[in-house]
Amino acid sequence: MAVDETVDPKRASKRPLAKAGLQSEALLWPTRKSVFEDEVESLEDALGLTTLQKAVAWAQTNSMWPDTFGLACCAIEMMAIVSSRHDIARFGMERFSSSPRQADLLIVSGRVVHKMAAPLRQVYDQMLEPKWVIAMGACASSGGMFNNYTVLQGVDKIVPVDMHVPGCPPRPEALMEGILRLHEKVMAGVPPAYQIRGVAS
Ligand code: SF4
């Protein structure tokens, strides 16, 4: 809403709705503050205002259930994030799922041989949207030291990856860092990788 410059700026509320341009009552009754404005200000004091998009993102990041795909040594480090020392439960993520239909974060930890590529893709396909993928470690991200005919040279060749966690192996703290960075992306409104890449899910 356009702000009328004839309204006395000293009377304008410093609260969020006034900043957004809610000064219609002041325009109708320019000589004094209306009861309506008082009520809106007291409401703003009592309520937390947000957008539906931010509320949904907040819920998604605080209940992101991982589906583990542990394939090699990196998986041991991944398992450690549920321990009391690292405590992934702080972020509502302690429920590691063995069912892709009840998970929305696929953590690929370890090297993916070609034989495992099809099952991995099947698990990804069975996950409901929205869903995210973390490639944990050098092997999942690029094949690592296994530059040979048996190992897939990066899991992003078969599923869209949202976050790569470097290391061989990455420590649990590094995986936690990757998870928190992913949360930041979701909160910032960045869509999942499959939407950005236009990959059929
Ligand atoms: S990145 Fe290193 S620790 Fe992880 S699976 Fe490969 S060789 Fe093992």
Side-chain angles (χ1 to χ4, degrees):
M1 178 188 294
V3 177
D4 190 340
E5 293 179 354
T6 60
V7 176
D8 183 359
K10 291 178 183 170
R11 293 183 56 255
S13 169
K14 299 283 187 283
R15 290 181 167 82
L17 288 180
K19 286 181 185 171
L22 185 74
Q23 297 182 27
S24 58
E25 286 292 305
L27 290 174
L28 292 173
W29 203 307
T31 54
R32 69 178 175 83
K33 202 173 184 180
S34 71
V35 174
F36 174 77
E37 283 179 310
D38 284 338
E39 288 176 351
V40 168
E41 285 183 3
S42 61
L43 261 180
E44 289 170 10
D45 287 339
L47 299 176
L49 299 178
T50 185
T51 63
L52 179 60
Q53 185 186 26
K54 286 181 181 172
V56 170
W58 178 83
Q60 287 173 335
T61 53
N62 286 280
S63 60
M64 207 179 252
W65 289 355
D67 185 333
T68 61
F69 215 95
L71 291 159
C73 6
C74 273
I76 305 301
E77 305 295 320
M78 177 186 66
M79 292 171 204
I81 65 172
V82 296
S83 67
S84 57
R85 184 181 183 90
H86 303 290
D87 194 17
I88 195 72
R90 288 176 289 163
F91 308 105
M93 297 179 65
E94 73 275 30
R95 189 193 178 281
F96 273 67
S97 179
S98 298
S99 164
R101 292 183 181 83
Q102 295 166 351
D104 43 18
L105 173 63
L106 184 63
I107 302 176
V108 184
S109 50
R111 51 194 166 274
V112 184
V113 295
H114 287 285
K115 192 176 180 181
M116 288 303 293
L120 193 150
R121 177 68 204 199
Q122 185 177 10
V123 166
Y124 175 79
D125 286 339
Q126 289 176 341
M127 292 168 64
L128 300 178
E129 296 179 14
K131 54 191 172 185
W132 297 269
V133 176
I134 289 180
M136 179 185 177
C139 290
S141 298
S142 65
M145 69 185 88
F146 303 98
N147 186 9
N148 59 45
Y149 66 93
T150 62
V151 175
L152 195 67
Q153 299 299 294
V155 72
D156 58 350
K157 296 194 181 326
I158 53 170
V159 292
V161 174
D162 296 272
M163 188 65 63
H164 294 270
V165 178
C168 176
R171 286 188 50 77
E173 291 87 345
L175 178 57
M176 299 278 283
E177 172 83 11
I179 289 170
L180 294 182
R181 294 275 179 236
L182 179 61
H183 287 180
E184 288 174 6
K185 283 177 69 175
V186 175
M187 286 301 296
V190 179
Y194 65 84
Q195 288 182 6
I196 296 174
R197 284 174 44 170
V199 177
S201 56

